[in-house]
Amino acid sequence: MPDLQVDGILCLADILTDESSVEAARAEAAAVVAQITSPHHTSTQHLASFLESMHDIVTALIKLCESASCGEVFLLASAALANITFFDSMACEILLQLNAIHILLQACKDRQRVDTPYSKDQVVTILANLSVLEPCASEVLQEQGVERLLLLLGENPSSPNPSEVAACERVQQKAAVTLARLSRDPDVAQTAIQLKAVPRLIELCRSPTERNNSDSVLVACL
């Protein structure tokens, strides 16, 4: 993929932030952002200019998650956000300010937007990265997010498709990691105990089939 120059990044930002742009165009721009911020993408020359447009791009992407008309659009927007939260911690602070936890957890209740393990993987990736920030715990509690994380611990593939199985493993692993990080807050830990998180985590440790035979899920649950 050719390096994107500064004006290329600005062009993406313009498409994403232009509310008169059709959803399909903004979704395509989100897909490009997801590609260029992918942890697997080796070239980082263009990313300095990306920082300059970070706030606008993150704001536009979380709005697209909120308004997405279908699962594919949500997946593209959330995948871009997930990559960005790995790329720069400032993005996590911006997302907290933009009420992202509320938006993402509400989306999880909407089968039209979050309809596959792939989408859930993006959501729980973002939550895992946000959970290193102290204010995250109270927001997750306010949104009944611990309940949602426990549901994600039970994610199972609907078919033997290897990519779907792998996505379910990532969902389970990141849900456990997020719970662990949030449980530094005594209120979160108490809520998790009340919701019987411990028996579920023990079950995932003891039963390989419950965790799709994944060692990474086992380590996270331990």
Side-chain angles (χ1 to χ4, degrees), residues 12-13 15-19 21-34 56-81 95 98 100 103-104 107 110 112-114 126:
L12 287 172
I15 294 168
L16 281 167
T17 55
D18 181 358
E19 292 185 7
S21 286
V22 294
E23 184 185 64
R26 285 179 285 140
E28 286 298 322
V32 177
V33 172
D56 288 346
I57 289 173
V58 168
T59 303
L61 287 169
I62 196 66
K63 282 184 179 174
L64 189 54
C65 286
E66 188 170 27
S67 64
S69 64
C70 64
E72 185 182 359
V73 171
F74 182 90
L75 177 60
L76 292 170
S78 59
L81 279 177
L95 281 169
L98 294 171
I103 291 167
L104 293 170
D110 178 4
Q112 195 168 320
R113 283 182 290 164
V114 179
I126 298 166

Side-chain angles (χ1 to χ4, degrees), residues 149-217:
L149 288 167
L150 291 178
L151 287 173
L152 292 171
L153 277 178
E155 190 68 19
N156 282 311
S158 59
S159 73
N161 180 315
S163 66
E164 188 180 340
V165 171
C168 289
E169 288 174 19
R170 291 193 300 272
V171 170
Q172 287 184 316
Q173 184 219 359
K174 289 168 190 170
V177 166
T178 307
L179 266 177
R181 289 176 178 172
L182 291 173
S183 291
R184 293 169 308 184
D185 182 299
D187 291 337
V188 173
Q190 193 59 44
T191 302
I193 289 165
Q194 288 168 356
L195 293 169
K196 299 186 168 50
V198 176
R200 176 60 184 149
L201 291 166
I202 291 170
E203 183 182 28
L204 284 161
C205 291
R206 285 182 172 167
S207 171
T209 53
E210 281 294 310
R211 60 174 190 270
N212 298 299
N213 299 294
S214 167
D215 288 343
S216 62
V217 175

Side-chain angles (χ1 to χ4, degrees), residues 138-149:
S138 60
E139 292 200 30
V140 167
L141 280 174
Q142 195 175 320
E143 297 294 332
Q144 283 82 51
V146 178
E147 289 92 326
R148 179 57 53 182
L149 288 167

